């Protein structure tokens, strides 16, 4: 926690450190952006600076702590939603769009932010921004928590789908599956009808917006 929040004690004596936690974290983020989270290792980062792996542990205790630092740096500062026109739905929708853009730009964050973790000030700032909108709208604390999980879960789902879609283009998927579906259309009539009706030809951002309309509309009814 002290390392992540920048409150760790710094030695007042001895030689000046040759590296910084910020330098190490930034290098790790660059590697993850280029090659994925699996490519990040203490050995890889140490070699980048011409250091031994053991010397890196003077700055960061291990891989788990490094990933926590990476997440907070990669997410960045909380979005400013106060100046946005409209009501709470518009602000929460914009929060979701900005969050999706980060996950899309850095898909390794999906893996790095799964499960219960220690969170840094930037990540908590994003949560605080969303809860501030929900609180101002009049949701109870319990409803704020549940609504936040509902919205961020939708964002992560769309981001996960987008990341997976990069592995197989729509035309490749059509070529691989289309022939089978044409031969077995009677077994999967709903799938065939949806494809033929253009249901799988949407732009990447449309699933987010459709889900937001449903979720925010439902939350608005709950609020009423």
């Amino acid at each position: 926690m002290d390392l992540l929040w920048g409150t760790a004690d710094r030695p007042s004596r001895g030689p000046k450190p040759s590296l910084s936690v910020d330098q190490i974290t930034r290098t790790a983020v660059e590697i993850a952006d280029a090659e994925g989270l699996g490519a990040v290792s203490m050995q890889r980062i140490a070699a980048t600076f011409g250091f031994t792996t053991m010397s890196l542990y003077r700055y960061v205790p291990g891989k788990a702590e490094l990933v926590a630092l990476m997440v907070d740096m990669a997410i960045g500062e909380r979005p400013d939603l106060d100046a946005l026109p409209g009501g709470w739905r518009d602000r929460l929708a914009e929060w979701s769009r900005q969050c999706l853009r980060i996950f899309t730009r850095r898909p390794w964050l999906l893996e790095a932010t799964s499960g219960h973790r220690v969170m840094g000030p930037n990540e908590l700032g994003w949560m605080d921004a969303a809860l501030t909108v929900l609180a101002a709208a009049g949701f109870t604390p319990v409803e704020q928590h549940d609504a936040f999980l509902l919205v961020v879960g939708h964002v992560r789902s769309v981001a996960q789908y987008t990341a997976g879609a990069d592995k197989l283009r729509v035309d490749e998927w059509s070529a691989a599956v289309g022939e089978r579906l044409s031969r077995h259309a009677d077994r999967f009539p709903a799938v065939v009808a949806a494809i033929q009706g253009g249901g799988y030809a949407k732009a990447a951002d449309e699933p987010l917006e459709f889900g937001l309309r449903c979720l925010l509309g439902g939350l608005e009814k709950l609020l009423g």
Side-chain angles (χ1 to χ4, degrees), residues 88-96 130 133-134 151 212 216 219:
W88 68 269
R89 286 186 57 166
D90 300 290
R91 289 178 172 82
L92 199 55
E94 180 58 26
W95 182 95
S96 302
V133 171
L134 291 164
V151 172
L212 285 177
L216 299 182
L219 289 173

Side-chain angles (χ1 to χ4, degrees), residues 184-194:
H184 302 282
D186 57 320
R187 294 176 59 188
F188 312 103
V191 176
V192 172

